[in-house]
Amino acid sequence: MGNPMTEQTQTSNATPSEQDNTGKKSDIIRVEGMHKWYGDFHVLKDLNLTVAQGERIVICGPSGSGKSTFIRCINRLEEHQQGKIIVDDVELTDDVRQIDTVRREVGMVFQHFNLFPHLTVLENCCLSPIWVRKIPRKEAEATAMEYLERVKIPDQALKYPGQLSGGQQQRVAIARALCMKPKIMLFDEPTSALDPEMIKEVLDVMIELAGSGMTMLCVTHEMGFAKTVADRVIFMDGGEIVEEAPPHEFFTNPREARTQKFLQQILAH
Amino acid sequence: MAESTMKPPKKALSPVKWMREHLFSTWYNALLTLAVGYLLVTSVGPLLNWLLFEANFQGQDASDCTGAGACWLFISQRLNFFIYGFYPDELQWRVDAMFLLLAIAFVPQFIERFPGRKWLGIFGMTGLPIIGYFLIPGGTFGLEVVESTKWGGLMLTLILAYIGILASLPIGILLALGRRSEMPIIRGLSVVFIEVWRAVPLITVLFMASVMLPLFLPEGVNFEKLARALIGITLWQSAYMAEVIRGGLQAIPRGQYEAADALGLGYWRKMGLVILPQALKMVIPGIVNTFISLFKDTTLVLIIGLFDVLGTVQSTVTDPAWQNVAIEGYVFVAFCFWVFCFGISRYSQNLERKLDTGHKT
Amino acid sequence: MKKQTIDSRPAGPKPWYDPRVRSLFFQVVAIALVFWAGWTLVENTLANMESRGISTGFGFLDETAGFGIIMSLIPYDATMTYGRTFWVGLTNTLLVSAMGIVAATILGFIIGVARLSSNWLVAKVSLVYIEVIRNIPLLLQIFFWYFAVLGALPSPRQSIDVGGTMFLNNRGLYVPEPLTQDGFGLVWWALAIAIAAVVGIRIWAKKRQLATGQIFPTFKVGVALLVLLPAIAYFAAGSPLEWEVPALKGFNFGGGITIIPELAALWVALSLYTGSFIAEIVRSGILSVSKGQTEAAKALGLPNGLTLRLVVIPQAMRVIIPPLTSQYLNLAKNSSLATAIGYPDLVAVFMGTTLNQTGQAVEVVAITMAVYLTISLSISLFMNIYNRAVAIKER
């Protein structure tokens, strides 16, 4: 599914935006031949990925495989040194303006929530809409309340993050990202730092979000979530994309030896 | 679950038992207790006698100091000078008004749950200095001019410390951001600035401000001595401030920076809305501590000829009309400083404890 | 393919949107500002100095100073140069700093440990000492000791006599000066041998412990050796040491060693003041070693003394040493308060009298600041080396 698209776009990227607007409108993320190094350490090797609008992708792999680094490149929290990343027709280059544009359109949820502890839940959600999108405070607060209701914690709006449980904090973090009305949501191991009984409440919110047609890239070890929600599962190891398949195929009939070994280890538990 | 009504057995400590446990637990503890106790008994009695029981409080001049104890008369007679310096008597209401405002702004900070104490604090940092800028020197709004050479005493001490800390705060923030910047030249310049000022004693800075500043400025431009001292103090203090604030910036987890980036906030918004509010709150105890040390260090201005509270006392203890009042004078100044510094340091310790627990939950 | 990649980035970012260009721009602006400010300052200063008839350069250092200094560790009199006054001031600064550091450290460690004493009275007295002393300005304390205490001492004729050998009056403290005679070299040799023997015993004791597990009382034997050997040598050589006792000659004392009141007041005030800060550092350093560590040591069966020596102190020292060095630095800087009472330290002599007489403000201030910068940077350097050593141990 992914490969023919990549080829097509590669052959016709003289004026990518025009082409995409007419032909492949559904392509929202394109990563082409992307490499990244930390010093001399080659973390990401020749990654290619195309994500269509509304697609839900789960990225998994052993720790240190570069999966977090990869999605952090997509909103430029990490810089890539070679290849191209095009998000919503905007290529990520050194251009500050383009980085800002991409970050506006891409929401991110972190493993450790990273809520701002000095602001209330509501203020956390309104900060960026007010200062970056320049939305009037009233309107921003109304939107924020809407999203807080969607993640089922409108009653906590005036509390500070420190007063909430981990699961609640992570749901606030999702609401905060949604308040920017992003086109894409990135999830960087959103449930890894949570106690087991809180994982479900966060996954429920993510499943609901997936049902609404949001484009999602999730780095996660929750294989159940991958099975029910993902359109595609990507397996990374050693900084490479090893395998890429729809979930039923990925789980029942993995092609690569490395994938098989990884699945054995994970499903043994 | 039924609430247990059982209480832990109380360990009743009789005075004798308490003393055995806390004063005479071992033979060397007993010896130590006796030695220290002896020293205390022999020194505290005469000290109290001198300070209070045999001291002189009533009278007009030195001849009324007949008792064997301290001559507090000297302090009460010269109190006006020690507080206001040469500020004209009939205009001292202006200084009093500032003292009052200062108290209104900052005393509530010691009382938890005082309504609106945050706003009073903000007023103290912004409105108060503006009012003071017009009120103390005069010259506007029909207020009579009082030259800065007439300012002195406790009032001058407070002005120096207050302006020093307030002015050094923004410079310190910029320097701290500069030192953590990714631009090597900006970082280098900040490091050099900070380290040079921190390396030299305040006296050399004050000397420099009073001797060299006039040389640095174009001919015809000159500042009063007080302004020169303030420039020196501010530059010096901002280096210390920068290091305190840098500590706070370093303590903010990386995730906060990343979350702000991911939301698309630019550098200044990220710093202004997310990082600095947290970092500054975290370092309030540190800022208060630098304030305490600056407050004590303001006494050094007497070396370049300004009359702070120690300066006014030092210049009067040699007055031949009063004999041997040096100790009284020093005890008075020491008491002034001690009350301020001890009170403020208690406040910052409380804050530290509160912040400590606040972060764990 | 290559052409295509270039095509895909039509123009690249506009320069003013490229963070690298931006950062370069800011840095160039910063450098330009600094240079502009520096240039203006230099220009103004040169113009001002010319109009005031002040010459520039360091030539004044070779001119005759022509003023006396009340205390000097190196030979000095008024016929010597301004350059010499610099060295006199510097050695005086180093002297009072070193004396202060030693006294403040001893005092601080005693008070800091006393603050944690199980003896209620001792702990409270230490607390009162710390809270009183560190909340009173140092300058005030110096004044107190100099004017109120030492200034109230009697004149030389009514000196306080301590055992007929030491005399205390308002001109200072006079103590006998030891004069070594022929044969004193033997004592030095004995001391050297004792030190070598202690090192040898230590190595031997360690080896024996490794082999047999027996612990040798190195410390006690070492102290005994260090005291006894030189003492035996001293008496064997026929007590080759004479004391020059100060004696009243005319209006003042002569002979012996004089500690001038300026030095004494500065030393006492600096030590007491810095000692109170060091006490707090020591206390929090000891408290920083978590209770779990003491408990673990006790669970292993170590007695209290060994727990302290092997577990608590090594960990506490790591916490104590960095702030301790910054207190030393503070003490060295605070010694410049000498100016206020006339102790001839670097700032008083060089930045004070020399500057006033020559008017060479820029040069003198620059030299003085450079001295303090050197002291400070060398202490920082030492700190960094120390931190690195500690960090390696942690792995």
Side-chain angles (χ1 to χ4, degrees):
Chain A
M1 185 186 167
N3 277 345
M5 267 185 194
T6 323
E7 269 167 35
Q8 269 201 333
T9 44
Q10 260 179 355
T11 48
S12 63
N13 60 5
T15 47
S17 50
E18 271 173 42
Q19 282 288 326
D20 284 1
N21 281 340
T22 52
K24 301 275 172 289
K25 195 172 189 279
S26 54
D27 275 1
I28 196 155
I29 301 175
R30 275 187 298 143
V31 178
E32 291 167 13
M34 191 258 273
H35 290 260
K36 174 170 178 58
W37 287 265
Y38 281 130
D40 282 337
F41 179 55
H42 201 169
V43 243
L44 297 178
K45 299 164 193 161
D46 192 29
L47 299 188
N48 291 290
L49 178 72
T50 314
V51 180
Q53 181 121 43
E55 217 182 348
R56 295 163 300 253
I57 291 180
V58 165
I59 304 173
C60 59
S63 65
S65 58
K67 51 196 192 308
S68 281
T69 311
F70 176 38
I71 71 163
R72 287 156 63 89
C73 283
I74 290 170
N75 69 346
R76 192 72 172 195
L77 285 182
E78 307 276 353
E79 212 173 304
H80 61 286
Q81 281 97 13
Q82 203 181 310
K84 284 205 291 186
I85 300 176
I86 298 163
V87 179
D88 195 25
D89 296 341
V90 179
E91 184 178 353
L92 278 170
T93 57
D94 287 335
D95 193 325
V96 190
R97 233 175 4 163
Q98 292 180 358
I99 296 171
D100 287 346
T101 317
V102 167
R103 283 181 178 166
R104 266 201 294 269
E105 304 305 336
V106 178
M108 184 157 194
V109 177
F110 297 86
Q111 182 180 359
H112 294 287
F113 333 135
N114 294 350
L115 292 175
F116 304 134
H118 63 303
L119 302 176
T120 62
V121 164
L122 190 63
E123 286 167 337
N124 261 286
C125 293
C126 295
L127 185 76
S128 198
I130 290 174
W131 289 94
V132 179
R133 286 242 192 258
K134 311 271 184 328
I135 292 170
R137 176 175 288 272
K138 265 237 168 85
E139 205 178 301
E141 281 180 358
T143 320
M145 284 312 291
E146 227 170 80
Y147 281 112
L148 285 175
E149 250 157 65
R150 238 176 105 180
V151 301
K152 302 181 188 69
I153 34 172
D155 45 324
Q156 314 281 11
L158 297 179
K159 287 197 179 164
Y160 285 90
Q163 297 167 301
L164 305 183
S165 73
Q168 289 173 322
Q169 289 196 43
Q170 194 59 297
R171 284 185 281 152
V172 172
I174 295 172
R176 176 175 76 178
L178 289 176
C179 282
M180 283 293 279
K181 309 230 161 126
K183 293 183 177 151
I184 301 160
M185 285 285 284
L186 306 176
F187 291 85
D188 187 3
E189 305 202 25
T191 55
S192 303
L194 293 176
D195 291 335
E197 74 269 21
M198 295 170 180
I199 292 179
K200 188 179 175 295
E201 61 185 66
V202 172
L203 287 182
D204 284 347
V205 168
M206 287 170 65
I207 290 167
E208 198 261 351
L209 187 63
S212 72
M214 172 67 74
T215 312
M216 288 164 72
L217 255 77
C218 310
V219 172
T220 182
H221 295 294
E222 295 297 327
M223 291 302 134
F225 174 78
K227 274 179 197 163
T228 49
V229 170
D231 295 316
R232 253 189 300 163
V233 179
I234 289 171
F235 175 67
M236 285 182 70
D237 189 20
E240 295 167 317
I241 294 182
V242 176
E243 189 161 349
E244 187 179 342
H248 64 273
E249 207 180 307
F250 181 84
F251 287 110
T252 52
N253 190 19
R255 268 170 292 154
E256 304 284 329
R258 278 193 277 182
T259 322
Q260 288 162 6
K261 200 180 151 209
F262 174 74
L263 284 175
Q264 265 169 16
Q265 280 169 347
I266 265 213
L267 298 175
H269 289 287
Chain B
M1 243 197 287
E3 198 145 306
S4 167
T5 49
M6 231 178 113
K7 295 251 163 69
K10 255 196 197 127
K11 213 173 157 189
L13 267 184
S14 70
V16 177
K17 255 190 174 164
W18 182 89
M19 277 171 66
R20 187 173 298 156
E21 211 165 282
H22 291 98
L23 296 176
F24 303 99
S25 55
T26 57
W27 64 269
Y28 57 83
N29 257 334
L31 262 182
L32 218 58
T33 305
L34 289 178
V36 175
Y38 174 76
L39 280 177
L40 279 182
V41 170
T42 49
S43 60
V44 168
L47 193 67
L48 282 179
N49 273 343
W50 183 83
L51 278 172
L52 297 170
F53 304 125
E54 290 170 13
N56 305 281
F57 295 96
Q58 307 265 313
Q60 294 301 317
D61 53 44
S63 60
D64 291 316
C65 278
T66 49
C71 183
W72 295 126
L73 205 53
F74 163 69
I75 303 296
S76 55
Q77 289 290 314
R78 293 306 194 92
L79 197 59
N80 197 46
F81 181 53
F82 296 159
I83 293 179
Y84 306 100
F86 302 102
Y87 211 88
D89 282 355
E90 67 279 8
L91 300 176
Q92 281 169 6
W93 63 268
R94 297 194 209 159
V95 183
D96 292 336
M98 288 309 293
F99 281 146
L100 188 70
L101 285 176
L102 202 66
I104 290 174
F106 288 107
V107 171
Q109 307 300 323
F110 291 84
I111 307 161
E112 252 175 90
R113 308 195 174 286
F114 191 92
R117 71 175 185 149
K118 191 175 153 198
W119 294 108
L120 283 174
I122 290 173
F123 164 75
M125 306 274 278
T126 52
L128 191 71
I130 295 172
I131 297 175
Y133 177 77
F134 290 107
L135 202 56
I136 301 283
T140 43
F141 303 117
L143 293 167
E144 200 180 312
V145 176
V146 182
E147 289 115 37
S148 69
T149 47
K150 289 187 177 167
W151 308 359
L154 193 59
M155 156 202 163
L156 187 73
T157 299
L158 285 171
I159 289 178
L160 285 167
Y162 200 65
I163 298 187
I165 210 84
L166 220 56
S168 64
L169 196 59
I171 306 178
I173 290 175
L174 286 180
L175 284 172
L177 292 177
R179 193 165 184 171
R180 282 178 59 79
S181 159
E182 280 165 12
M183 305 180 221
I185 290 173
I186 303 279
R187 195 169 55 228
L189 289 174
S190 308
V191 169
V192 168
F193 185 94
I194 292 171
E195 292 305 330
V196 166
W197 287 114
R198 269 161 42 95
V200 296
L202 181 56
I203 287 203
T204 57
V205 177
L206 288 173
F207 265 130
M208 211 175 96
S210 66
V211 179
M212 275 169 75
L213 207 57
L215 286 179
F216 286 156
L217 296 168
E219 257 178 297
V221 181
N222 208 351
F223 290 113
E224 292 156 0
K225 198 188 256 174
L226 176 62
R228 293 202 300 253
L230 271 174
I231 291 173
I233 287 177
T234 304
L235 290 176
W236 186 74
Q237 185 65 20
S238 58
Y240 283 86
M241 197 62 102
E243 284 301 274
V244 171
I245 293 166
R246 186 167 73 108
L249 291 177
Q250 271 168 341
I252 304 294
R254 243 175 69 117
Q256 294 289 313
Y257 291 86
E258 286 176 355
D261 280 338
L263 286 173
L265 300 169
Y267 177 83
W268 291 107
R269 277 188 205 136
K270 173 171 73 179
M271 288 301 169
L273 295 171
V274 176
I275 306 300
L276 277 174
Q278 295 183 59
L280 287 179
K281 194 176 168 194
M282 210 179 275
V283 297
I284 288 178
I287 293 177
V288 172
N289 287 341
T290 56
F291 175 75
I292 293 175
S293 59
L294 175 66
F295 190 62
K296 288 185 289 175
D297 283 336
T298 52
T299 49
L300 267 59
V301 296
L302 78 88
I303 295 172
I304 57 165
L306 289 171
F307 285 94
D308 75 318
V309 63
L310 182 57
T312 52
V313 169
Q314 181 66 16
S315 67
T316 37
V317 289
T318 48
D319 185 347
W322 299 83
Q323 284 125 29
N324 291 326
V325 285
I327 297 185
E328 284 87 338
Y330 295 144
V331 169
F332 166 73
V333 181
F335 181 73
C336 291
F337 275 99
W338 188 82
V339 168
F340 267 100
C341 296
F342 183 71
I344 302 172
S345 74
R346 273 294 123 119
Y347 167 71
S348 98
Q349 279 166 19
N350 272 339
L351 211 63
E352 230 164 308
R353 222 166 291 141
K354 239 171 49 194
L355 284 177
D356 234 26
T357 51
H359 271 272
K360 273 171 198 157
T361 51
Chain C
M1 187 69 201
K2 200 177 180 188
K3 193 165 188 294
Q4 276 180 349
T5 28
I6 290 165
D7 282 347
S8 73
R9 302 183 181 192
K14 293 251 169 61
W16 50 91
Y17 287 124
D18 187 331
R20 272 160 252 226
V21 177
R22 276 188 183 187
S23 109
L24 198 70
F25 171 75
F26 285 134
Q27 300 191 60
V28 168
V29 168
I31 281 273
L33 272 176
V34 167
F35 268 99
W36 173 78
W39 179 253
T40 326
L41 286 187
V42 168
E43 204 162 75
N44 282 338
T45 310
L46 287 178
N48 280 323
M49 284 170 75
E50 205 181 290
S51 68
R52 290 175 203 195
I54 308 171
S55 62
T56 52
F58 292 92
F60 72 98
L61 288 174
D62 296 326
E63 289 166 26
T64 306
F67 63 89
I69 300 176
I70 55 170
M71 182 191 137
S72 168
L73 294 177
I74 52 176
Y76 174 82
D77 63 59
T79 60
M80 292 185 176
T81 60
Y82 287 121
R84 189 77 174 178
T85 64
F86 167 78
W87 293 109
V88 172
L90 181 59
T91 47
N92 283 343
T93 289
L94 293 177
L95 173 74
V96 74
S97 304
M99 285 168 66
I101 283 174
V102 171
T105 309
I106 296 170
L107 190 70
F109 272 79
I110 292 174
I111 303 280
V113 172
R115 178 85 175 72
L116 294 170
S117 164
S118 61
N119 186 320
W120 181 86
L121 190 65
V122 171
K124 287 298 162 205
V125 168
S126 326
L127 172 73
V128 169
Y129 166 80
I130 293 172
E131 290 299 351
V132 168
I133 295 293
R134 70 174 187 164
N135 283 316
I136 294 174
L138 176 60
L139 186 61
L140 174 56
Q141 297 189 34
I142 293 174
F143 278 178
F144 175 81
W145 289 104
Y146 185 65
F147 292 112
V149 176
L150 298 181
L153 286 172
S155 65
R157 282 177 179 277
Q158 280 88 41
S159 287
I160 300 167
D161 181 343
V162 188
T165 50
M166 296 208 287
F167 301 92
L168 186 63
N169 60 47
N170 61 9
R171 303 248 186 113
L173 175 68
Y174 297 81
V175 293
E177 185 179 1
L179 300 172
T180 55
Q181 310 292 314
D182 288 343
F184 196 80
L186 198 64
V187 179
W188 291 124
W189 277 111
L191 190 67
I193 291 168
I195 291 172
V198 170
V199 173
I201 287 176
R202 216 184 122 85
I203 294 169
W204 168 78
K206 265 200 176 161
K207 265 193 189 151
R208 194 178 71 146
Q209 204 281 331
L210 277 178
T212 67
Q214 280 171 295
I215 293 175
F216 186 80
T218 318
F219 183 74
K220 285 175 192 163
V221 174
V223 169
L225 267 180
L226 283 176
V227 174
L228 284 179
L229 233 87
I232 292 167
Y234 177 73
F235 289 112
S239 308
L241 192 65
E242 274 182 15
W243 295 88
E244 190 191 35
V245 178
L248 191 64
K249 287 169 192 156
F251 291 107
N252 207 349
F253 280 85
I257 297 171
T258 316
I259 298 171
I260 57 170
E262 289 80 9
L263 174 61
L266 193 62
W267 182 43
V268 170
L270 278 175
S271 310
L272 290 178
Y273 185 75
T274 315
S276 72
F277 286 91
I278 293 179
E280 270 303 276
I281 291 169
V282 169
R283 182 182 80 101
S284 58
I286 293 174
L287 285 182
S288 76
V289 181
S290 70
K291 230 178 153 195
Q293 292 289 320
T294 335
E295 282 170 358
K298 280 188 180 147
L300 287 172
L302 288 176
N304 272 345
L306 280 182
T307 303
L308 209 63
R309 208 178 89 198
L310 299 176
V311 178
V312 177
I313 290 177
Q315 294 189 57
M317 283 317 274
R318 273 188 207 180
V319 181
I320 289 173
I321 296 235
L324 188 65
T325 37
S326 79
Q327 282 305 323
Y328 289 165
L329 193 56
N330 278 349
L331 189 145
K333 285 191 283 174
N334 282 335
S335 72
S336 60
L337 293 185
T339 316
I341 55 169
Y343 173 73
D345 84 320
L346 181 66
V347 172
V349 170
F350 198 59
M351 223 173 163
T353 319
T354 298
L355 191 153
N356 280 341
Q357 287 198 5
T358 59
Q360 307 274 7
V362 179
E363 293 85 348
V364 168
V365 170
I367 293 175
T368 315
M369 287 177 100
V371 166
Y372 282 103
L373 208 57
T374 312
I375 296 175
S376 162
L377 288 182
S378 22
I379 288 184
S380 302
L381 192 73
F382 162 74
M383 269 310 307
N384 287 343
I385 292 171
Y386 173 81
N387 278 339
R388 215 167 296 150
V390 169
I392 288 166
K393 274 184 207 148
E394 271 172 356
R395 294 232 172 112

